[in-house]
Tab-separated table of all heavy atoms in Angstrom:
chain	number	residue	atom	x	y	z
A	212	VAL	N	-7.996	-8.241	-7.200
A	212	VAL	CA	-6.682	-8.623	-7.452
A	212	VAL	C	-6.383	-9.913	-6.569
A	212	VAL	O	-6.630	-9.985	-5.428
A	212	VAL	CB	-5.603	-7.504	-6.981
A	212	VAL	CG1	-4.190	-8.091	-7.214
A	212	VAL	CG2	-5.840	-6.231	-7.777
A	258	ASP	N	-9.048	5.411	-9.919
A	258	ASP	CA	-10.025	5.189	-10.889
A	258	ASP	C	-10.073	3.660	-11.230
A	258	ASP	O	-10.859	3.300	-12.173
A	258	ASP	CB	-9.837	6.014	-12.121
A	258	ASP	CG	-8.483	5.761	-12.837
A	258	ASP	OD1	-7.704	4.867	-12.383
A	258	ASP	OD2	-8.094	6.485	-13.695
A	269	ASP	N	14.433	-7.074	-11.424
A	269	ASP	CA	15.317	-6.022	-11.971
A	269	ASP	C	15.273	-4.759	-11.130
A	269	ASP	O	15.716	-3.731	-11.601
A	269	ASP	CB	14.858	-5.763	-13.431
A	269	ASP	CG	13.490	-5.337	-13.548
A	269	ASP	OD1	12.825	-5.200	-12.477
A	269	ASP	OD2	12.940	-4.983	-14.681
A	306	ASP	N	-4.540	12.750	-9.525
A	306	ASP	CA	-3.062	12.911	-9.193
A	306	ASP	C	-2.887	12.299	-7.664
A	306	ASP	O	-3.818	12.554	-6.843
A	306	ASP	CB	-2.583	14.248	-9.280
A	306	ASP	CG	-2.503	14.736	-10.655
A	306	ASP	OD1	-2.938	14.025	-11.598
A	306	ASP	OD2	-1.997	15.810	-10.885
A	326	ARG	N	-3.682	12.612	-15.091
A	326	ARG	CA	-4.029	12.966	-16.535
A	326	ARG	C	-3.349	12.117	-17.534
A	326	ARG	O	-3.947	11.728	-18.576
A	326	ARG	CB	-3.601	14.500	-16.625
A	326	ARG	CG	-3.861	15.001	-18.136
A	326	ARG	CD	-3.325	16.417	-18.132
A	326	ARG	NE	-3.448	16.920	-19.576
A	326	ARG	CZ	-3.008	18.052	-20.015
A	326	ARG	NH1	-2.326	18.850	-19.132
A	326	ARG	NH2	-2.992	18.450	-21.221
A	329	ILE	N	0.794	8.115	-15.580
A	329	ILE	CA	2.180	7.642	-15.509
A	329	ILE	C	2.763	8.053	-14.190
A	329	ILE	O	2.207	8.986	-13.537
A	329	ILE	CB	3.018	8.185	-16.739
A	329	ILE	CG1	2.991	9.699	-16.762
A	329	ILE	CG2	2.655	7.615	-17.994
A	329	ILE	CD1	4.015	10.405	-17.541
A	375	CYS	N	9.976	-9.164	12.104
A	375	CYS	CA	9.161	-8.142	11.266
A	375	CYS	C	8.293	-7.244	12.081
A	375	CYS	O	7.481	-7.753	12.851
A	375	CYS	CB	8.293	-8.983	10.160
A	375	CYS	SG	7.386	-7.880	9.097
A	383	SER	N	-4.912	6.650	9.392
A	383	SER	CA	-6.269	7.147	9.331
A	383	SER	C	-6.280	8.399	8.333
A	383	SER	O	-5.182	8.926	8.018
A	383	SER	CB	-6.881	7.685	10.662
A	383	SER	OG	-5.957	8.655	11.248
A	394	ASP	N	1.948	-10.801	12.373
A	394	ASP	CA	1.866	-12.300	12.376
A	394	ASP	C	1.085	-12.821	13.675
A	394	ASP	O	0.616	-13.972	13.741
A	394	ASP	CB	3.247	-12.905	12.327
A	394	ASP	CG	3.716	-12.885	10.925
A	394	ASP	OD1	2.957	-12.837	9.928
A	394	ASP	OD2	4.967	-12.992	10.687
A	398	VAL	N	-4.286	-6.422	16.354
A	398	VAL	CA	-4.386	-5.055	15.775
A	398	VAL	C	-4.151	-4.110	16.942
A	398	VAL	O	-4.871	-4.148	17.988
A	398	VAL	CB	-5.807	-4.862	15.224
A	398	VAL	CG1	-5.953	-3.401	14.781
A	398	VAL	CG2	-5.975	-5.742	13.986
A	443	PHE	N	-13.675	-4.859	12.353
A	443	PHE	CA	-13.627	-4.347	13.736
A	443	PHE	C	-14.284	-2.880	13.722
A	443	PHE	O	-14.074	-2.088	12.849
A	443	PHE	CB	-12.146	-4.098	14.231
A	443	PHE	CG	-11.386	-5.341	14.316
A	443	PHE	CD1	-10.618	-5.792	13.204
A	443	PHE	CD2	-11.247	-6.190	15.463
A	443	PHE	CE1	-9.837	-6.918	13.238
A	443	PHE	CE2	-10.395	-7.245	15.620
A	443	PHE	CZ	-9.774	-7.581	14.506
A	451	HIS	N	-8.791	9.119	21.490
A	451	HIS	CA	-8.137	10.353	21.827
A	451	HIS	C	-8.579	11.047	23.050
A	451	HIS	O	-7.828	11.590	23.827
A	451	HIS	CB	-8.303	11.338	20.530
A	451	HIS	CG	-7.315	11.083	19.554
A	451	HIS	ND1	-5.962	11.225	19.621
A	451	HIS	CD2	-7.396	10.603	18.328
A	451	HIS	CE1	-5.328	10.997	18.460
A	451	HIS	NE2	-6.256	10.568	17.639
A	458	TYR	N	-3.702	11.417	30.515
A	458	TYR	CA	-2.411	12.057	30.606
A	458	TYR	C	-2.434	13.550	30.714
A	458	TYR	O	-1.525	14.196	30.752
A	458	TYR	CB	-1.473	11.539	29.489
A	458	TYR	CG	-1.351	10.082	29.404
A	458	TYR	CD1	-2.106	9.264	28.635
A	458	TYR	CD2	-0.393	9.441	30.264
A	458	TYR	CE1	-1.902	7.894	28.541
A	458	TYR	CE2	-0.205	8.095	30.230
A	458	TYR	CZ	-0.911	7.326	29.356
A	458	TYR	OH	-0.739	6.012	29.294
Side-chain angles (χ1 to χ4, degrees):
V212 179
D258 59 6
D269 61 359
D306 291 5
R326 176 184 177 187
I329 59 170
C375 176
S383 61
D394 284 334
V398 174
F443 299 87
H451 275 294
Y458 298 101

